[in-house]
């Protein structure tokens, strides 16, 4: 299975889960919580613009769908502390539950455990997830460009900036890069 096909399967499950999540915690309620949430932002762009390259972003994920591996000795907080000790520039946390066995508490715990920029490295397809990311302690989010239409990209870009979240754009082609050319402010581009 090609990577983008796998990503599309993940997105389908994410969209299904979002329907339930929005019923349990309505968008207006989570928006109100975001407006009251005040946490020091740890700038990913600033961190990556200082010091010598290459910069290192370490990922925290419990399962690896490509290999079918699930880590039985998994401890997100211990990993985060280890990565900070290894001089990581940032930590990316995968909270997707179906394929990666993630959960929001991993991101929240890591955000409180280390003093590094925290990236929610998930399948972000809805502004509701941006508000979740903010509340859970993320400083940045990854957005996979080929999975979204232009209206969705523009909405996510605008809403991420309004929440003070930085964006890592994951692109897979030159055409993807063209689609985000107007969204460069506070953004980092990642090429898969």
């Amino acid at each position: 299975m090609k990577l983008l096909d796998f990503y599309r399967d993940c997105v389908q499950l994410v969209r299904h889960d979002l329907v339930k999540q929005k019923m349990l915690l309505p968008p207006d309620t989570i928006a109100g919580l975001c407006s009251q949430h005040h946490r020091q932002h740890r700038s990913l762009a600033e961190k990556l613009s200082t010091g010598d390259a290459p910069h290192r972003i370490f990922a925290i994920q419990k399962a690896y769908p490509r290999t079918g591996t699930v880590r039985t000795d998994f401890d997100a907080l211990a990993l985060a502390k280890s990565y900070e000790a290894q001089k990581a520039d940032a930590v990316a946390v995968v909270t997707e539950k179906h394929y990666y066995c993630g959960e929001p508490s991993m991101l929240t715990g890591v955000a409180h455990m280390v003093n590094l920029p925290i990236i929610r490295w998930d399948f972000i397809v809805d502004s509701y997830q941006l508000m979740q990311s903010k509340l859970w302690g993320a400083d940045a989010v990854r957005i996979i460009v080929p999975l979204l239409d232009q209206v969705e990209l523009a909405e996510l870009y605008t809403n991420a900036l309004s929440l003070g979240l930085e964006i890592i754009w994951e692109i897979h082609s030159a055409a993807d890069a063209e689609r985000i050319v107007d969204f460069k402010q506070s953004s980092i581009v990642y090429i898969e």
Side-chain angles (χ1 to χ4, degrees), residues 80-143:
K81 287 304 282 181
S82 169
Y83 294 162
E84 187 173 45
Q86 294 176 55
K87 306 287 188 224
D89 292 296
V91 176
V93 181
V94 181
T95 67
E96 193 281 328
K97 67 180 184 178
H98 298 287
Y99 291 105
Y100 293 88
C101 301
E103 53 191 70
S105 62
M106 290 167 39
L107 194 149
T108 302
V110 168
H112 286 90
M113 181 65 65
V114 298
N115 192 27
L116 296 169
I118 306 298
I119 307 161
R120 183 177 180 191
W121 200 265
D122 283 327
F123 302 93
I124 304 295
V125 297
D126 189 291
S127 292
Y128 187 87
Q129 293 172 284
L130 298 175
M131 292 185 285
Q132 288 176 326
S133 301
K134 179 78 171 178
L135 289 177
W136 297 346
D139 301 291
V141 294
R142 172 187 71 157
I143 297 176

Side-chain angles (χ1 to χ4, degrees), residues 160-188:
L161 291 183
S162 73
L163 288 167
L165 292 169
E166 294 174 75
I167 300 170
I168 295 178
W169 298 106
E170 181 176 321
I171 61 174
H172 292 249
S173 68
D176 291 344
E178 285 297 316
R179 294 180 61 211
I180 60 167
V181 74
D182 293 334
F183 305 146
K184 294 291 185 179
Q185 180 186 1
S186 296
S187 301
I188 298 164

Side-chain angles (χ1 to χ4, degrees), residues 4 7-8 143-149 153 170-173 176 179:
L4 281 176
Y7 281 0
R8 286 183 185 94
I143 297 176
I144 306 169
V145 174
L147 299 180
L148 301 164
D149 66 33
L153 291 174
E170 181 176 321
I171 61 174
H172 292 249
S173 68
D176 291 344
R179 294 180 61 211

